[in-house]
Amino acid sequence: MPEIGEVARVVSHLRKHLVGKTISKVDAPEDLKLFKNTTAKEFTTLMTGKQVVDVKQWGKYFWLVMSSPPHALLHFGMTGWLHIKNDPKASYQSMKSGADESTQWPPKFSKFVLEIEGSNNQFAFADVRRFGRVQLINEKDGNNIRNVAPLSANGPDPVQEKLDKDWLFTRLRKKAVPVKGFLLDQAIIAGIGNWVADEILYHARIYPETVTNNLSEGQMQALFDSINYVTKTAVEAEAEQSLFPKNWLMLHRWGKGKNNEGGAGKLPTGEKIEFITVSGRTSAYVPSLQKRGANDPAPDAEVIKPAKGKKGKKEASSLDEEEEKPKAVKGKRGKKVEELSEEEVEGEEPKATGSRKTTTVKKVVVSKVKKEAATTEEVAKKPAGRTSKKTVAKEETGPEEQSPGTGTEHTITEEKPVVKRGRKAKPTAQAEETAVDEEAPVPKRRKAAAAPARVSPPPTLRRGRSALKSNPAAAS
């Protein structure tokens, strides 16, 4: 994001090429996100034919002071920039890499282009991520916009206005936030962004997560001096990295110092650069110089986060967590069997829900002590119904399913899924069988105790053609 130094660079180049010139044409396609309190059509109409008297800056904002109101207030957002056709070195990317971007005009992602009288020079506002903003300020004196919203909500600009030390110390004592977040708050100090804040804390030798009201008197003094030093140097150099002092953190963060003596991720003197997240922003710091205090939180880099598996699912960070969470086992036809622990259900009767496509079956592990009571209760609750001969034969197998001397089944009760009438229930996915008692044999298929078989009614009472076919005598 363009910060106080980058915005100062644009202001400097606009003063060279635009101040004193009259805007002859504005090409601005409609963009409801870019134009905040106006429209592209209104912006075109009100800017055309006016002279640019001056260009001003406050923090990350800058504005064109026009010969008559309204005045154009601009903010670059995350990726915005104002390109000058006849001065490609003013480009943000050219400033960073030395590349010449004059081959394409207007640049990619241009939002509006200004043309001036008596010159082929043009000015294009481009923004890839569309966080930039353009506003029209109806203030008679264009130099007084600092006292008008949204600039009135910004704190002091440490370069445009001298920073008061007593005021800063008071704000630090009243706040209880990480000092990095304090510096990023534009309502406190305008113009400081991510890399400038890291640079300030590096020179002040302050750990980024130190809480503001825990700072000592000496640390607050070091912070005050560092704010003034870093912001002033960045503005004077117009954020040109080749003009920064060689010991600046900015030149060696993100692996930019790989060709230097210290190597990538290190200062030229060998100190290691590490990264943590503070106030939602990635922060570079030097642990050997910016030491963490006793009351400072541990860096988030030390927190072990769960890794992601091949399919993007988070794996448990420990075996204990993995055991505590119930697992869903997927069957052959997409049916899920959810295993619940005994403590979660306390012997609750298993429930099954069925449908044509998916069926969910809950298999409940019942303890040996509660088995007899659970089985008796289930038999009592189960309504009388038809029972096939095959089922009755299974249930009457004595020694294989019963423990000697008890007559009680040591099995896990499992019901078939409920289906719509007239349809056969689809077989559910089979879950792993858990032995309840090592001495008692576990049957291959376990069934609840069946109710007494219902006697079939006489064929004469049956209805339909099938009844007549089965008993011709009844038809006569």
Side-chain angles (χ1 to χ4, degrees), residues 421-442:
R421 58 181 181 181
R423 298 182 184 273
K424 292 185 178 180
K426 296 183 180 180
T428 59
Q430 295 182 357
E432 293 184 3
E433 297 180 357
T434 305
V436 179
D437 190 352
E438 295 182 357
E439 297 179 359
V442 180

Side-chain angles (χ1 to χ4, degrees), residues 179 201 204-211 214-215 219 274 276-278 285-303:
V179 65
L201 295 173
R205 301 296 191 259
I206 298 175
Y207 180 65
E209 287 191 305
T210 301
V211 179
N214 287 337
L215 292 171
Q219 286 178 314
E274 293 187 3
I276 56 175
T277 302
V278 185
Y285 78 111
V286 182
S288 60
L289 301 177
Q290 298 168 256
K291 297 186 182 297
R292 182 165 61 91
N295 297 325
D296 296 336
D300 59 359
E302 297 178 5
V303 178

Side-chain angles (χ1 to χ4, degrees), residues 41-354:
K41 184 177 180 180
E42 185 180 28
F43 178 77
T44 300
T45 302
L46 296 176
M47 292 293 106
T48 302
K50 288 186 179 180
Q51 187 183 49
V52 181
V53 178
D54 198 1
V55 182
K56 297 282 188 178
Q57 176 187 0
W58 194 268
K60 297 180 183 180
Y61 282 96
F62 71 101
W63 66 94
L64 307 179
V65 180
M66 309 304 293
S67 52
S68 62
H71 311 278
L73 177 68
L74 301 96
H75 192 287
F76 285 138
M78 291 292 294
T79 57
W81 195 255
L82 204 148
H83 301 264
I84 303 175
K85 184 178 180 180
N86 294 346
D87 190 4
K89 291 184 179 180
S91 170
Y92 185 36
Q93 297 299 325
S94 299
M95 172 191 68
K96 293 170 65 177
S97 60
D100 186 356
E101 298 186 353
S102 60
T103 55
Q104 180 178 350
W105 192 266
K108 289 182 179 180
F109 311 105
S110 294
K111 303 305 175 186
F112 68 82
V113 178
L114 304 178
E115 297 182 13
I116 57 177
E117 292 180 356
S119 175
N120 65 344
N121 203 5
Q122 296 180 10
F123 307 84
F125 185 97
D127 186 9
V128 178
R129 298 182 63 183
R130 298 181 65 208
F131 287 111
R133 295 291 180 269
V134 177
Q135 296 179 246
L136 294 179
I137 307 298
N138 284 298
E139 184 70 19
K140 185 176 181 180
D141 183 5
N143 297 310
N144 196 36
I145 290 180
R146 163 70 180 104
N147 299 320
V148 179
L151 291 181
S152 58
N154 276 220
D157 182 315
V159 176
Q160 307 295 327
E161 179 180 278
K162 186 178 179 181
L163 194 63
D164 184 81
K165 184 172 74 172
D166 294 335
W167 171 87
L168 178 65
F169 284 20
T170 301
R171 295 300 297 269
L172 288 169
R173 293 189 186 102
K174 287 184 177 180
K175 289 278 186 178
V177 297
V179 65
K180 170 72 180 283
F182 179 90
L183 293 174
L184 293 175
D185 190 346
Q186 301 301 298
I188 298 175
I189 302 175
I192 297 177
N194 195 45
W195 79 261
V196 173
D198 288 347
E199 198 69 44
I200 290 171
L201 295 173
Y202 163 69
H203 290 284
R205 301 296 191 259
I206 298 175
Y207 180 65
E209 287 191 305
T210 301
V211 179
T212 52
N213 59 3
N214 287 337
L215 292 171
S216 65
E217 199 76 17
Q219 286 178 314
M220 289 192 290
Q221 180 64 50
L223 184 65
F224 173 77
D225 295 337
S226 185
I227 291 172
N228 289 318
Y229 163 67
V230 172
T231 54
K232 182 179 178 182
T233 304
V235 169
E236 289 178 349
E238 295 181 358
E240 184 69 51
Q241 295 179 13
S242 61
L243 300 179
F244 288 158
K246 301 302 180 185
N247 67 333
W248 270 37
L249 181 67
M250 173 64 172
L251 302 177
H252 310 285
R253 62 184 292 166
W254 311 116
K256 294 180 180 178
K258 60 184 178 181
N259 295 324
N260 294 340
E261 183 181 351
K266 294 183 179 180
L267 295 175
T269 51
E271 289 87 354
K272 185 179 179 181
I273 301 172
E274 293 187 3
F275 301 91
I276 56 175
T277 302
V278 185
S279 300
R281 305 297 300 275
T282 300
S283 307
Y285 78 111
V286 182
S288 60
L289 301 177
Q290 298 168 256
K291 297 186 182 297
R292 182 165 61 91
N295 297 325
D296 296 336
D300 59 359
E302 297 178 5
V303 178
I304 300 175
K305 297 182 179 180
K308 290 187 177 181
K310 294 181 179 179
K311 296 182 180 180
K313 297 180 180 179
K314 293 183 179 179
E315 298 177 356
S317 59
S318 65
L319 294 176
D320 294 337
E321 293 180 11
E322 193 171 347
E323 291 177 357
E324 290 174 0
K325 297 179 181 179
K327 297 181 180 179
V329 182
K330 200 169 184 180
K332 294 181 180 179
R333 298 186 180 180
K335 301 174 184 179
K336 298 179 181 178
V337 179
E338 187 175 316
E339 295 184 359
L340 302 179
S341 66
E342 180 183 353
E343 291 75 19
E344 289 175 329
V345 294
E346 294 293 340
E348 183 182 345
E349 184 177 347
K351 298 179 182 179
T353 57

